[in-house]
Amino acid sequence: MSRPKIYTLLGTQTHLPPRGGDLINEARFFRTLSEFADVYYNGQLFQPDQVDFGLKDIPIEVPDSGYDLYYVRANKDIYRQLRRPKACLALPYDEELYADADALFTTTGTWRDMLLNFSQEHPPKSWRKGWYGDSIARPNCVINIAQSADPSFKPYPDHFETFRYRAKFGYGFVVGYFGRIAADTVPRTYFSALPELSRSIKHLTTIVAGNITVDIPRDIRLVDRIDYSKMPYAINACDLVLYDCGDDGHWAGSGKVIDAISCGVPIVLPRKEARIEQLGEDYPLFCDDSQELEEKVVKFACDTEYRSEVREKVLALSNIFRPRVVAKQLKQPIYDLIQKFKNGN
Amino acid sequence: MSILSSLLDGSTTLSKVIRPQQAKQHLRRVEELPELAWMMRSSKSRRAFSLMLEARKLSGQDKLHDAKKIYHQAIELDSTYYRLHSFLAMIYHRLGDYENAQNYWGKALSLRPNDVGSNLGLAETLAATGKLMEGIQKIDDLQQLFPKRGEILARRALFTERAQNLLLSAEYWRQAHGLETENPEFALGLARVLIKLGNRIEGKKILQNVKTLKPDHLPTQIEVGNGLLNLNFPSEAVKHFQSLARSHEQSVPVLNGLIRSVDSARPISEVLNWWKEFLEWDTLSKTYQSHTEQRPPPQMPTERKTRLLIVSYQNWNFMQEIVEGLAANEQFEVRTLEFGREIVTALEYLKANPAENSERLNQHKNNFPLDVELLEWADVVFCEWCVHGMVWLTRHLPSQTKLICRLHSFEAYGPWPLMVDWSRVDHLTFVADHIREYLDDSLNLSRFKNLTLSTVTPAHPVENFILEKNKDAAKTLGMMGYNNSNKNPLLALRILKQLTEADTEWKLRLVGHDWSGKVLTESEEKYRNEFYQFIEDHQLETHVIFDNWTYDVQDWLQKVGFMISASTREGTHEAIAQGMSSGAIPVVRKWPLSLRWKGAERRYPTALLFETPDEATQKILQISNEGSLSEKSKQFTEEAKQRFTPQVVVSQISEMIRE
């Protein structure tokens, strides 16, 4: 098959400035798709290596035809007007879309399996967390599009910007948390271990850059919003990155995990199904309680050999998230979906 | 106080609020009444309302994260009050979290679709996410509903201004101003657009009007001063800020406004003297001198590593090798601190006695506990740049802590060294001898008994710059950073013109930001125009290459054979040192502002030094024609290795810390 032509759209976004998680995640997906397809966002060719992906703020127009596949996220009105085959993201749950879409896209295999095997008993109630009820409309096809890294996230140990963030963060042993901290994402395990960690690790500095809606300990340094283009350097300036999530983390993807390991910075996180899928069962910094976290973080901070080992391991792990690697797995299911409709199904 | 808050604390009554004679004045407040009735309905609502007032107070103090948390708590108690969502959206917007901002504007509007504030707020957020036209559409829709609302017209004016339609924007501002002539914001908006349109006379007239509208409202008066400055009336701006400074010694923006005005109104060579007079330096310095007796010299620990805190205010450009080098030194424990919002300097600090520093520092503990902890932890504080942060440190650092400052170049010509209490400083290090001598001559620093002085030149990783040159480099001049008259790229063009007359292969590469996006003074604008005109007049378009700003200076230098310093004033002009490391031949003007101290000659004694473009051209052509470029290039790299490697500099700074 020659390169297929894919129409894409996210909500009412006319173009894709790198602001907010959804826009960033979609842009990464389109970069991966672009490895084997011509991706058009809002009717304009998505060019992964151009400034703002070569996209301009132009009005949204619904295409009559001309594409091999239509993918729309969070815009039901437009979705309804499109030709087939059409796909949408499996979130948020929408009965009409689930029943109608020719394919639902998930970002992890765990999520895909959860939808395919959805029942009253599975997944557990806590995993559904407002996203899913007791039952769902049976999807026609579910494709795990997986997640890929933004190539600008890589190790920059000697870069001036990395130094600048190190200086900004205090030049100690830096543990960084990037992103929203709300009631469901408070890194409680880390916070409860913090007093002991501070005693054991010299010059421990915890920095938080993101949106905080709950009380956090006073010995944490809040950092102003970091522009997306500077994020790789800010991550590089950390010795460890923290991640926490609610029970939906058992199935939902996480770009932050990929960002950290792509920079060669290990990430401390709770053991959840989707994280195991991304990092492997034997990932060394899964922590289920504050004692385990304390032990592992102290070992990481104080044992330089162990630290180098873990760093090497995460960097090696990050290879599987390169767009080209992810695209290799994604190409066939997308081609199959398109082919199915070309064959008149 | 709003009606809602008045009622909540019982200081007024509903009937009092809506008395007919006050109706007009409170017209917009009265719109709150339906919500008021609702809010008073249940204890949860009242609690939510109290939280809202608390959060508003916090947001007024710029404590946005704290305000956000409290708004969330309020919404948890009662999610049906549109203002809570609207205020929270504004907080998210200010924090740059536009996704959440949009979400909460949406919630506010679902509760009250025609709310002007929420609609305008949503338009702002849309614009911030690149959807300016959608934002304008929102405002136009709103204007259809409320055609005579000044705030809507003003926002339309603002958006039109952003869309670069200045004439139309001025028209909207005029309409808004016409509806509410007493509103200083609208007048200031109109003045701002007039400034951009270059309509200085009308702009000045409007500003003079604003000045009388709210004579005691400091933020308005600061805007007036800034407006005068932007309209290129720097002398008037100086007078305005000077008079404000006398009555508002505690105001940081006033001092900053005064500094910018004086910088624009005076040639750089006169700025320090202006400030000496304004600050009554002779008296001030005697006050500083009198503090000396109160402080014993700090003692360095012998039983443990020296705790070194390196501080800077955002600019760490020249510190990477130094911080990394010191951190690798077994003698030191190194931490860094980037000064934040706590570091503000106002004229009132000049009266502060360093004997009370610990007490003053303690006052910051509540809001900036981690910063205070670091400042208290340190045995030595090394302050990069002699600017407001340094002034602050001399009034806050505990007396037993050793304080070192590094002064580069621009600081020496401004007010900050006059505001630093030198009795509280142990060591002042300069990046160049001529700056040291200039400042010592100007301030007579040697009279401060406990203050020692030194010169340590900046460093860079020389080895990283040693890369093979491109073939074209042999006939390519280079200049790093060119978008201001001090760097004088026009002089480089004159040299280029003469070179191209001898050989058409000569090129000039300019790397860095151009003038776009900068607010230019009249003289800077004139300079920029002359620069571009020169290129056009002499058909140099194909000989001048503009390269975008880049981190990868080493790569860029591979294309350059001769590095030009044409500046009027420099401390060390690091680009030249970096060029030398790469093997580019330094071509350095004898910097006019430091001629008396032989600044360029002492910093780059082996360079091709010149005073006129003719002289520079001849020296360049001589090297080029005699075929000695490669040999000379190696010599300069060798010299750079000897003088600029970080190890040399780090060792000098280490000694300074331990001495």
Side-chain angles (χ1 to χ4, degrees), chain B residues 4-19:
Chain B
L4 291 172
S5 44
S6 311
L7 281 173
L8 195 80
D9 70 8
S11 64
T12 186
T13 64
L14 205 59
S15 60
K16 185 181 169 191
V17 168
I18 55 169
R19 273 189 317 201

Side-chain angles (χ1 to χ4, degrees), chain B residues 222 224-230 232-242 253-267 271 274-275 521:
Chain B
I222 290 169
V224 169
N226 289 334
L228 286 167
L229 191 54
N230 291 336
N232 269 323
F233 291 107
S235 301
E236 279 90 339
V238 169
K239 268 190 218 156
H240 183 74
F241 277 121
Q242 202 172 343
V254 167
L255 179 58
N256 288 341
L258 186 56
I259 289 168
R260 287 191 301 117
S261 309
V262 176
D263 279 351
S264 298
R266 303 274 165 158
V271 169
W274 188 93
W275 281 100
T521 61

Side-chain angles (χ1 to χ4, degrees), chain A residues 144-215:
Chain A
N144 169 22
I145 58 171
Q147 285 182 299
S148 57
D150 178 333
S152 65
F153 284 73
K154 58 184 181 185
Y156 297 102
D158 302 320
H159 199 283
F160 170 72
E161 283 293 336
T162 301
F163 161 73
R164 200 173 71 81
Y165 277 106
R166 266 193 209 120
K168 197 181 178 71
F169 297 162
Y171 224 78
F173 179 86
V174 177
V175 178
Y177 184 97
F178 301 94
R180 189 174 69 99
I181 296 189
D184 58 336
T185 59
V186 180
R188 287 197 180 81
T189 320
Y190 180 82
F191 286 172
S192 53
L194 191 53
E196 194 48 45
L197 289 173
S198 300
R199 276 189 284 276
S200 309
I201 302 172
K202 201 165 190 183
H203 302 319
L204 171 69
T205 308
T206 310
I207 65 106
V208 168
N211 179 20
I212 301 145
T213 56
V214 292
D215 283 329

Side-chain angles (χ1 to χ4, degrees), chain A residues 13 19-22 57 158 160-161 167-168 170-171 202-203 205 211-215 218 221 225 230, chain B residues 68-69 72 92 95-97 99-100 128-131 316-317 320 324 333 335-336 338 366 371 551:
Chain A
Q13 277 297 136
R19 297 190 187 100
D22 288 345
D57 178 14
D158 302 320
F160 170 72
E161 283 293 336
K168 197 181 178 71
Y171 224 78
K202 201 165 190 183
H203 302 319
T205 308
N211 179 20
I212 301 145
T213 56
V214 292
D215 283 329
R218 276 172 61 84
R221 189 174 280 283
R225 185 180 175 275
K230 303 280 187 209
Chain B
K68 183 175 63 182
K69 272 187 275 179
H72 274 286
Y92 275 118
L95 286 167
D97 182 348
E99 208 175 331
N100 269 313
T129 54
K131 296 176 181 172
W316 294 91
N317 287 357
Q320 183 167 5
E324 287 171 356
E333 263 185 75
R335 305 297 312 276
T336 50
E338 181 167 288
N366 197 33
D371 296 1
Y551 282 118

Side-chain angles (χ1 to χ4, degrees), chain A residues 135 144 146 157 197 243-244 261 272 306 310 327:
Chain A
S135 64
N144 169 22
L197 289 173
Y243 176 78
D244 215 332
I261 64 172
K272 306 256 162 144
Y306 176 69
V310 179

